[in-house]
Amino acid sequence: MPSLSPARLYPCVAVLAMIFIVVAFYVCRGSLGTNLPINVRQRSAVYSALQPNVTHTVNDTFSFPYPVAVKSVKSVLDGPWVKPLQHFLLQLNSSQVSVVFSDYLFVDSLLNWLVSAMTKVDSPVTNLLVVCLDKALYTLLQNKHIASIVVEKDTIIWPAAKMKTNFSHIWITRLVLCRLLNHWGYDVAMFDADAIVLRNPKPLFDKYKEADIVASSGRYPFDLSKRWKAATVCMGTVLLRATSRMEALWDTIAEMGYSKEMSFDDQTKINQALDRLGIQWATAATREQHGSCSNGLSVVLLSTSDVCRVCRKYNKYYVWHQKGSRKSADKVKTAEEGSKWYLRNDWTETNNSITGIKWLQNITMTS
């Protein structure tokens, strides 16, 4: 067998070395993470979409919810917030991201949530991204080095779309972002800004590793809870896992979006889609409720002793989410009455040079 001359050997070694470097680079960036629940192609698309001359994710063969109101996949993915989102995701060492949505109108409630979730709990919520619905909130959080992106409604929703309430664009944006993150292979833990974290719920979510959806228990839509004789998925605290079974749920939601009389409420949409997928609820006498759809999609509704909606003055909840008015001032009052308000009244007057966790600690009321 003839031996390779140095002139032939060196190019081979160089090629192998380049292959090793490229693979190592992707692994270090997390693009080929082994813990992804769908497959690595989805998450690697996040990286490839950041390359020069690529304006949107190559694999866009999916549909967003609310097609009568939401722009095309290409238009949405060409939006100015997509690349900042991708940059954030590529810094994570996990395939699970925690998100909370807010605009400046509810800045007090949001900051109270951040203070609790990031400074008051023994184990802070990690991989957290605040999705700002206006530039005023985004500017504040960026100046304070709080991980955030700004998603204004005109980057997602057609101008001609008719919004029934001021909350419609929030509900639409939440489902669009959750759908996109699931498509890219990320599990999404989403919280309302008044669903105050008292203990990091990740261990609670991890208890039900086989479930596609883990959520707090609600009663709305009332017609479904009455017919099911069970609770419904409450979107105030919910984990949406990026599994193949979830694709059927997202497709069902997209197909439901053609009625002109449709509700934009994301909780309504999720539960109606589960109903269309034939969810059946187990009758076992457990604190939580277990449901299964015809395609095998599994749902766990958490016990109200873990995530409350009608809350007692009891600090062993994972998440405290007292029912109340949607008005900003009323949300503050509700949290104060439940002894879950931690934000200083004069937080706007605190030291402007402090950022990050130290800033959140600085705007916390002293005992």
Side-chain angles (χ1 to χ4, degrees):
M1 178 178 178
S3 60
L4 287 174
S5 67
R8 293 183 177 181
L9 181 60
Y10 292 154
C12 295
V13 172
V15 169
L16 290 173
M18 286 299 296
I19 292 173
F20 175 80
I21 291 170
V22 170
V23 171
F25 173 78
Y26 275 92
V27 170
C28 290
R29 292 291 299 226
S31 304
L32 299 179
T34 58
N35 59 344
L36 291 183
I38 296 183
N39 74 51
V40 297
R41 178 175 56 82
Q42 304 289 27
R43 192 168 177 187
S44 63
V46 177
Y47 176 76
S48 65
L50 285 170
Q51 303 311 298
N53 303 319
V54 179
T55 56
H56 58 89
T57 302
V58 174
N59 181 19
D60 58 4
T61 56
F62 68 100
S63 299
F64 281 129
Y66 314 109
V68 298
V70 174
K71 295 180 177 181
S72 69
V73 171
K74 182 183 183 305
S75 295
V76 171
L77 293 179
D78 283 342
W81 53 268
V82 174
K83 281 185 168 53
L85 172 61
Q86 292 164 328
H87 279 293
F88 169 80
L89 296 173
L90 290 173
Q91 307 310 309
L92 304 183
N93 292 318
S94 170
S95 60
Q96 181 173 313
V97 56
S98 300
V99 294
V100 58
F101 292 71
S102 184
D103 56 22
Y104 201 86
L105 179 63
F106 292 90
V107 63
D108 289 340
S109 291
L110 172 68
L111 293 182
N112 187 63
W113 189 94
L114 290 171
V115 164
S116 185
M118 303 298 290
T119 73
K120 304 288 286 187
V121 298
D122 292 335
S123 175
V125 174
T126 57
N127 303 324
L128 175 63
L129 179 70
V130 180
V131 180
C132 306
L133 302 172
D134 56 40
K135 288 180 179 177
L137 180 61
Y138 176 69
T139 299
L140 169 67
L141 297 184
Q142 285 291 294
N143 288 340
K144 294 302 179 182
H145 299 175
I146 304 296
S148 55
I149 60 172
V150 57
V151 182
E152 294 181 289
K153 65 180 181 181
D154 61 357
T155 65
I156 286 180
I157 301 170
W158 291 114
K162 295 181 179 179
M163 305 287 104
K164 291 186 177 181
T165 76
N166 292 333
F167 291 92
S168 293
H169 75 281
I170 300 175
W171 295 325
I172 292 172
T173 303
R174 292 197 335 164
L175 278 196
V176 167
L177 265 289
C178 288
R179 202 284 174 258
L180 179 59
L181 288 166
N182 269 186
H183 177 70
W184 280 342
Y186 289 87
D187 300 339
V188 185
M190 184 171 69
F191 304 89
D192 282 358
D194 61 343
I196 301 169
V197 174
L198 304 182
R199 290 194 287 165
N200 191 332
K202 190 175 188 306
L204 187 61
F205 292 150
D206 290 346
K207 182 179 176 182
Y208 307 103
K209 290 185 180 294
E210 301 305 314
D212 303 284
I213 298 175
V214 183
S216 53
S217 299
R219 288 294 169 189
Y220 184 79
F222 301 121
D223 61 321
L224 291 182
S225 61
K226 182 178 180 180
R227 178 155 53 81
W228 288 345
K229 296 181 180 180
T232 59
V233 170
C234 174
M235 295 294 282
T237 302
V238 62
L239 174 69
L240 304 171
R241 287 198 168 102
T243 65
S244 57
R245 291 182 295 272
M246 283 290 289
E247 292 298 303
L249 181 79
W250 289 119
D251 289 345
T252 301
I253 292 173
E255 291 165 3
M256 292 164 57
Y258 291 99
S259 168
K260 292 182 179 179
E261 301 302 320
M262 70 177 179
S263 167
F264 289 112
D265 186 297
D266 54 356
Q267 186 162 315
T268 298
K269 280 299 169 197
I270 288 285
N271 284 286
Q272 287 178 342
L274 291 172
D275 191 52
R276 289 198 179 191
L277 290 173
I279 193 165
Q280 297 293 318
W281 297 99
T283 57
T286 58
R287 294 195 312 163
E288 66 281 342
Q289 293 185 33
H290 296 258
S292 181
C293 296
S294 56
N295 72 329
L297 186 147
S298 173
V299 181
V300 172
L301 300 182
L302 297 168
S303 166
T304 55
S305 63
D306 289 324
V307 181
C308 65
R309 289 295 278 130
V310 179
C311 305
R312 295 175 285 121
K313 289 187 177 180
Y314 164 79
N315 285 323
K316 292 189 178 180
Y317 295 119
Y318 282 91
V319 179
W320 188 94
H321 191 193
Q322 179 65 47
K323 287 184 178 179
S325 165
R326 288 175 175 167
K327 295 180 179 179
S328 177
D330 291 342
K331 289 183 181 294
V332 173
K333 182 179 179 182
T334 298
E336 288 176 338
E337 291 174 346
S339 301
K340 301 298 181 291
W341 191 259
Y342 311 114
L343 183 68
R344 285 170 47 175
N345 292 331
D346 62 345
W347 67 266
T348 57
E349 301 171 17
T350 57
N351 189 333
N352 287 331
S353 65
I354 301 175
T355 61
I357 296 296
K358 289 184 177 180
W359 175 63
L360 294 175
Q361 292 169 338
N362 189 249
I363 64 176
T364 304
M365 287 192 298
T366 55
S367 301

